[in-house]
């Protein structure tokens, strides 16, 4: 049985080796985080959303229609929230804001692993606005 740090390393390595890149409704930041939650828990939180939108803007519209202000509210509906990034652990889900929108990433120590336009990237841990534990 792997510990969470080993499991996270395997999850991120699999994404890198598969050269997965941003594709709305198939592999965007929500599916990146949901894939990690599934790896940890076996529960696929994204199954109802897969293939349901063609652009990130359309995805945000569907999210609002489902009653969620943004991705952090969707995460909060399914995962316990942790009190700030300073109490986070590797493998926690971080909500960050970029360009007026919320994105989800995975905390990996002093950084947040995020999905960029060309694949995996990272941000400083202090960019986390909300943190959730799978």
């Amino acid at each position: 049985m792997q510990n969470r740090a080993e499991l996270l390393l395997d999850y991120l390595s699999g994404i890198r080796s598969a050269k997965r890149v941003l594709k709305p409704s198939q592999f965007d930041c929500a599916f990146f985080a949901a894939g990690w939650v599934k790896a940890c828990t076996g529960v696929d939180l994204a199954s109802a959303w897969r293939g349901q939108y063609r652009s990130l803007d359309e995805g945000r519209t569907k999210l609002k229609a489902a009653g969620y202000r943004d991705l952090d509210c969707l995460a909060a509906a399914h995962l316990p929230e942790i009190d700030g990034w300073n109490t986070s652990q590797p493998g926690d889900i971080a909500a960050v804001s970029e360009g007026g929108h919320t994105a989800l990433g995975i905390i990996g120590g002093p950084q947040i692993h995020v999905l960029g336009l060309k694949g995996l990237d990272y941000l400083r841990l202090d960019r986390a606005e909300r943190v959730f534990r799978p």
Side-chain angles (χ1 to χ4, degrees), residues 31-111:
F31 287 94
F32 171 59
W36 169 243
V37 171
K38 184 176 181 183
C40 291
T41 67
V43 177
D44 185 3
L45 298 176
S47 62
W49 297 90
R50 198 167 283 110
Q52 298 300 309
Y53 52 94
R54 292 192 178 116
S55 70
L56 296 179
D57 285 337
E58 185 181 351
R60 288 183 197 101
T61 299
K62 288 188 177 287
L63 193 64
K64 285 181 175 65
Y68 302 104
R69 179 183 44 82
D70 219 325
L71 284 174
D72 58 332
C73 295
L74 178 62
H78 298 284
L79 302 169
E81 188 165 359
I82 305 306
D83 189 27
W85 61 265
N86 54 344
T87 60
S88 66
Q89 298 175 4
D92 288 344
I93 304 293
V96 298
S97 289
E98 187 71 37
H101 300 291
T102 300
L104 300 176
I106 305 166
I107 295 174
Q111 73 280 347

